[in-house]
Amino acid sequence: WWWLRPRPHSPPVYPGALPLIGHAHSLIGDSKRLWESNTKLQMYSVNNGGICQIWLGPHTVYVLTDPEDSVTLANTCYNKPYIYDFSKDYLKNGLVTAEATVWKHHRKLLNPAFNQQVLNTYVTQINAQAQYLASQLASEVGKGSFDARKYLVNFALSTVARTSLGLDPQDETWLSAGYTETIEDLLGSYTERLRKVWLHLSFIFNWSALKRKQDQFTNKLKKITNQIINKRKSELKAKKNIISDDSSDKFKSVLDQLMVLAEEHGDFTHEIIREHLDTFTATAYDTTALAITITLIVLGSNQEIQDRVFKELQEVFEDENPDITKEDLPNLVYMEAVLREAMRLYPSSPLIARKVDRDVPLKNYTLKAGSTCVLGIYGLLRHPVWGANVDQFRPERWLDDAESTNHLSRNASFGIGKRNCIGKAFGLMVMKIALAQILRRYRVTSNLKNVEWEYEIVLKPVKGHHICLTPRS
Ligand code: HEM
């Protein structure tokens, strides 16, 4: 107990530590409890100078919510702590889980795959999926409230299938092979391990039923992606010139771009291509689907703001063109402010973490090597730096008083520092197109006050019937 005592010159300790286990007990419980514990912890950090510490057994975990300190830490320590290893069997050298040395090299090579020129070639595919989504939602009109997330998950996965994997719109093999259910089960199993702290220890986890289930999910998903890569390899072998078509305005899936990298760089093996593709899917689909779901719930509870979004849509789409063009996207200024504000208050990834692999001096304290640092995105996005009415949904803060958003945490919902989200621009584009297609056709109503939240690696509204749709005449 002596060595667990708070020391002078070390960050404030979050209350509630128990002998030997420290704060580990606060991880136990269901996903709703996990979210409650997480918000309390992050807000404690905000209210105590943007930093606090907890103990998981003997291990120190700092929780940072100060904008400057968070960037310092994120740009000093690039390695991820052991909890990211929960998904290593599946994603290993993918950008999220790769060791810092591999990550630096691969991130540099992969950045161009997500540049604006490439993204512009995806607009047609995303429009097609978003129009299909809007037409599917028609079946919910007049039936009262429903759970929009399942529609948005299908939309997000179909969009990934087209743009990342290059599958034809008619090609249903991916989704019909049970991909959606299996990826949901796999991500759920990571949260289960997070909550059952004794399973953090590999020698216990390796003997558990959860490990056996996780292996089944992982193997199934790997098999599906491997089949897609192999099929594409055979196609390219048959038509030798496809990939060498370098014209920048021609659609080229992420898989094809990875194949080009494989030709140029020996270290892009078949397995590494799979790890990157599976990483893009796992990181892209739920974050995007949830951000759209949450924005719809928030807009359904703020009719005046929704009216303003609709007015902007009418102005931008004067000619009734059913597709949103790449030229239209920058004109959806108010909609982007709404989206960013919804993601500020309810970030899909409310916390990320780094391994503190050296002593890191911050403004008031030095973080000790060998510990873990949680970067509290939720707290950062409600830090006083955002102004007095930080808890209020106010899209105008992104427009009128731009200086109140012109600070280091501006993009924190997409991560912090250089190891931030590679798919940020892609995600924003997908979300804007989907929202535009939905909101042009339907008025949304909902009640944000009734929503309960849970933490399952991502922040989710607890499954339920949250929104109603009425057709716009
Ligand atoms: C609303 C949408 C999205 C949100 C909120 C989001 C959020 C984030 C956050 C917070 C991180 C940092 C993770 C960490 O440091 O541990 C991250 C990383 C990442 N995201 Fe996203 N993301 C979104 C969409 C996407 C999309 C569409 C892709 C598609 C490719 C993507 C791919 C990635 C990858 C590969 C990383 C790891 C980057 C690296 O370590 O270099 N994300 N994302």
Side-chain angles (χ1 to χ4, degrees):
W1 186 236
W2 172 248
W3 53 263
L4 281 180
R5 82 203 188 284
R7 268 152 282 209
H9 309 303
S10 72
V13 178
Y14 185 63
L18 296 175
L20 295 175
I21 63 167
H23 299 82
H25 59 92
S26 59
L27 289 178
I28 301 170
D30 63 10
S31 311
K32 272 203 277 186
R33 182 166 181 269
L34 198 56
W35 177 242
E36 273 167 33
S37 316
N38 170 60
T39 45
K40 281 190 197 145
L41 174 62
Q42 291 204 30
M43 291 322 287
Y44 182 84
S45 166
V46 171
N47 295 326
N48 283 276
I51 187 166
C52 68
Q53 59 177 315
I54 57 170
W55 298 300
L56 297 182
H59 188 68
T60 301
V61 179
Y62 301 104
V63 181
L64 273 188
T65 50
D66 177 84
E68 279 173 48
D69 282 349
S70 300
V71 174
T72 307
L73 187 281
N75 283 341
T76 310
C77 300
Y78 292 107
N79 274 312
K80 304 282 181 83
Y82 76 95
I83 40 172
Y84 285 74
D85 293 347
F86 294 178
S87 60
K88 264 222 158 145
D89 276 353
Y90 182 40
L91 304 176
K92 202 171 175 189
N93 288 301
L95 289 180
V96 173
T97 41
E99 296 295 320
T101 40
V102 175
W103 167 77
K104 267 190 195 148
H105 175 52
H106 285 195
R107 173 81 190 225
K108 214 163 151 196
L109 294 172
L110 288 167
N111 274 336
F114 293 91
N115 74 26
Q116 197 56 50
Q117 231 174 13
V118 173
L119 297 185
N120 286 344
T121 68
Y122 295 167
V123 172
T124 312
Q125 308 296 338
I126 302 170
N127 261 302
Q129 299 304 329
Q131 295 233 31
Y132 180 69
L133 163 71
S135 66
Q136 290 284 298
L137 288 173
S139 65
E140 297 288 350
V141 168
K143 288 193 190 159
S145 59
F146 69 102
D147 193 342
R149 182 175 170 266
K150 59 179 191 230
Y151 288 95
L152 287 153
V153 162
N154 280 337
F155 158 73
L157 279 172
S158 312
T159 306
V160 170
R162 284 297 300 127
T163 54
S164 281
L165 304 177
L167 298 182
D168 286 338
Q170 301 81 357
D171 192 339
E172 289 282 312
T173 43
W174 195 51
L175 297 180
S176 60
Y179 194 92
T180 315
E181 298 73 23
T182 314
I183 184 102
E184 297 265 278
D185 286 343
L186 182 62
L187 298 185
S189 75
Y190 297 147
T191 320
E192 189 174 337
R193 187 171 176 196
L194 184 71
R195 284 192 278 110
K196 296 182 173 167
V197 272
W198 57 96
L199 295 179
H200 288 205
L201 302 167
S202 299
F203 69 90
I204 301 182
F205 175 69
N206 287 342
W207 292 97
S208 68
L210 186 64
K211 160 83 169 138
R212 287 192 290 281
K213 265 201 302 187
Q214 212 174 77
D215 285 348
Q216 274 172 16
F217 302 145
T218 307
N219 292 338
K220 182 167 175 184
L221 293 173
K222 281 185 184 175
K223 197 170 154 203
I224 298 175
T225 312
N226 278 330
Q227 277 167 354
I228 293 169
I229 301 173
N230 287 334
K231 184 166 168 250
R232 187 64 183 146
K233 272 187 183 161
S234 327
E235 282 168 9
L236 291 173
K237 226 178 189 172
K239 306 184 208 169
K240 280 198 174 106
N241 60 348
I242 295 187
I243 262 185
S244 56
D245 183 348
D246 253 357
S247 44
S248 58
D249 56 348
K250 191 165 187 296
F251 172 80
K252 199 186 284 159
S253 67
V254 177
L255 170 56
D256 277 8
Q257 297 183 67
L258 288 168
M259 300 272 204
V260 174
L261 287 173
E263 275 171 22
E264 294 165 357
H265 301 269
D267 49 354
F268 266 71
T269 58
H270 176 105
E271 190 53 12
I272 285 184
I273 291 180
R274 186 206 53 77
E275 287 160 3
H276 281 309
L277 283 178
D278 281 339
T279 296
F280 294 143
T281 310
T283 47
Y285 93 91
D286 213 11
T287 46
T288 310
L290 279 164
I292 303 171
T293 308
I294 292 168
T295 307
L296 289 174
I297 296 174
V298 174
L299 278 177
S301 309
N302 290 278
Q303 291 300 326
E304 277 176 27
I305 294 177
Q306 190 178 159
D307 286 344
R308 206 172 145 188
V309 173
F310 185 66
K311 194 162 165 265
E312 182 182 75
L313 284 168
Q314 284 180 311
E315 283 160 13
V316 172
F317 300 107
E318 269 173 321
D319 61 358
E320 303 281 321
N321 179 359
D323 272 355
I324 286 124
T325 64
K326 66 177 193 292
E327 289 79 19
D328 293 329
L329 285 170
N331 296 328
L332 296 173
V333 177
Y334 190 68
M335 179 192 277
E336 182 163 332
V338 165
L339 192 51
R340 281 179 173 278
E341 183 68 349
M343 289 174 72
R344 181 183 72 80
L345 288 173
Y346 310 101
S348 323
S349 302
L351 62 107
I352 56 178
R354 294 285 190 274
K355 189 191 271 181
V356 184
D357 43 22
R358 67 196 75 179
D359 283 0
V360 183
L362 301 177
K363 284 188 296 195
N364 298 320
Y365 304 100
T366 294
L367 304 193
K368 296 286 173 217
S371 57
T372 294
C373 183
V374 165
L375 296 162
I377 306 275
Y378 175 85
L380 262 166
L381 293 167
R382 288 173 186 241
H383 188 274
V385 76
W386 291 90
N389 47 11
V390 70
D391 291 328
Q392 205 185 326
F393 178 70
R394 208 171 62 82
E396 286 68 27
R397 80 175 74 242
W398 295 91
L399 306 168
D400 310 341
D401 45 0
E403 75 277 11
S404 81
T405 56
N406 191 17
H407 49 68
L408 291 168
S409 344
R410 185 183 156 79
N411 288 317
S413 44
F414 289 102
I416 299 163
K418 292 187 189 134
R419 199 164 183 174
N420 65 2
C421 178
I422 200 172
K424 177 175 147 244
F426 178 49
L428 276 171
M429 189 164 106
V430 171
M431 292 186 283
K432 278 168 93 172
I433 295 178
L435 282 170
Q437 295 291 11
I438 297 170
L439 296 169
R440 280 162 91 186
R441 288 173 68 161
Y442 308 105
R443 176 182 285 283
V444 182
T445 44
S446 74
N447 191 347
L448 184 61
K449 288 197 185 101
N450 294 340
V451 176
E452 290 183 291
W453 302 91
E454 62 186 354
Y455 179 69
E456 292 201 334
I457 313 285
V458 283
L459 170 62
K460 284 183 178 163
V462 173
K463 268 198 187 91
H465 294 219
H466 298 304
I467 66 167
C468 294
L469 298 180
T470 324
R472 298 255 182 200
S473 50

